[in-house]
Amino acid sequence: MSNVSSTPLSPTLDLAFDLISRDSVTPDDKDCQQVMIDRLEKCGFKIEKLRFGEVDNFWARRGEGEPVLAFAGHTDVVPTGPLEKWDTNPFEPTIKDDGMLYGRGSADMKGSLAAMVVAVERFVEEHPNHIGSVAFLITSDEEGPAKNGTVKVIEHLQARGEHIDWCIVGEPSSTNQLGDVVKNGRRGSLNGYLTVKGQQGHVAYPHLANNPIHMLADALSELTNHVWDNGNEFFPATSFQVTNIESGTGATNVIPGDLKMVFNFRYCTEVTAEQLMEITDAILNKHGVEFEIEWALSGRPFLTSGGSLIEAVKHSVEKITGYQPELSTSGGTSDGRFIAPTGTHVVELGPSNATIHKINECVCAEDLNLLTDVYQQILTDLLAEG
């Protein structure tokens, strides 16, 4: 194993090392944003620091005109987990002999942030009079509640009529090699918190009680087998999954008084959140379940099916890597869900997601250099003058 932090690094890797070395666990930013701001100010960006609650965000823009191409990302990282299980200190970025850069946030997503900044620096140097505007929307709240981050910045921009035409989110989208998968949309996510109301009693006298587990059984079977939709060419069919069920006192002779269940829909554009809520209520009522549900919508589905951004991304990935990316809407949610509803065309393009949130998170160091080249080519395709 070798730590090459003492040897010359590419500009992208040098910046990635700086960012990874800062233990910016949600919502702490640990001056990662200031590092980026200092670099962006030097190439002509106007900076707006936006703090909401305990969350640091910033909006940076170079240019006054349209179209606006924004890079979006987050400086916060998830907790490390047990330090003794890491092969290296998670906040001491290390490149091993296998060429992998290890450290918390290397893949998700400080490597992408470094690539974005360096790509923009190079683009501005080559095209100081570029058309439109280049922007950055950066938060420290993506891995946490996500209530005072990107969603608040978007509301702030909308309030003054500022619009993003194209947005590249630096989430790790790739599977086997850089750029092999680009996310051009995401499924919606709807959570349900169900309480079934029964009546506690002795198991020897079931006629004097009402078992909420039994009450729910038939309805749950129908919910798990219901065909919500058949998906479409961009999305798989909507999925219903139970994530937790709690009931009972722990005793063998007590019928529980209530049951609590948490479930999630990952849904496509063939159905709305409101329709999912209505159908769920109807199935529970059909089976005579006495219940209450609290709903929490994490994000609606979004899709960028075509257009200039998609074409620039496909061309740039192919030019730099030699192969065409696959467009995909798989995976969880991202901050793209807050940006797309404004009419922005959104894609997610970043390094491999194989080790994100894991012990020994890592990314191929050379992939970050290639990612810089891809980002720069996208900028050139879309905003180079003349």
Side-chain angles (χ1 to χ4, degrees), residues 215-380:
M215 192 192 308
L216 179 64
D218 289 341
L220 181 56
S221 177
E222 184 168 345
L223 287 168
T224 56
N225 289 289
H226 186 80
V227 178
W228 305 92
D229 57 62
N230 294 308
N232 54 39
E233 62 177 311
F234 300 106
F235 292 94
T238 292
S239 155
F240 169 88
Q241 289 293 318
V242 176
T243 58
N244 193 48
I245 295 180
E246 296 180 2
S247 189
T249 64
T252 60
N253 59 353
V254 179
I255 294 171
D258 59 25
L259 176 150
K260 296 184 182 297
M261 184 177 84
V262 183
F263 59 92
N264 175 267
F265 287 102
R266 291 300 166 105
Y267 69 100
C268 73
T269 51
E270 293 296 304
V271 67
T272 66
E274 291 72 22
Q275 289 172 326
L276 294 173
M277 294 178 196
E278 291 173 5
I279 296 170
T280 301
D281 283 354
I283 290 174
L284 291 167
N285 284 318
K286 169 185 171 182
H287 291 279
V289 180
E290 187 177 350
F291 69 95
E292 292 179 352
I293 296 184
E294 293 183 8
W295 295 100
L297 180 61
S298 298
R300 298 184 186 275
F302 67 89
L303 177 70
T304 302
S305 58
S308 300
L309 178 60
I310 290 291
E311 291 308 311
V313 168
K314 290 164 64 177
H315 170 258
S316 298
V317 170
E318 183 173 25
K319 182 173 182 178
I320 300 303
T321 67
Y323 48 82
Q324 276 275 358
E326 171 194 350
L327 299 180
S328 171
T329 60
S330 64
T333 59
S334 77
D335 274 2
R337 70 190 188 274
F338 303 126
I339 304 169
T342 67
T344 303
H345 283 199
V346 178
V347 298
E348 298 171 28
L349 170 57
S352 170
N353 54 30
T355 64
I356 60 175
H357 295 202
K358 292 184 178 181
I359 301 293
N360 294 325
E361 178 183 349
C362 61
V363 65
C364 175
E366 181 55 27
D367 278 358
L368 298 185
N369 294 323
L370 290 174
L371 182 60
T372 305
D373 294 340
V374 171
Y375 286 158
Q376 183 179 352
Q377 185 62 50
I378 295 169
L379 285 160
T380 301

Side-chain angles (χ1 to χ4, degrees), residues 179-200:
D180 60 352
V181 175
V182 172
K183 301 295 176 66
N184 66 323
R186 293 281 192 166
R187 293 175 294 173
S189 179
L190 175 64
N191 297 298
Y193 301 86
L194 172 70
T195 299
V196 179
K197 300 176 181 180
Q199 184 175 353
Q200 184 172 314

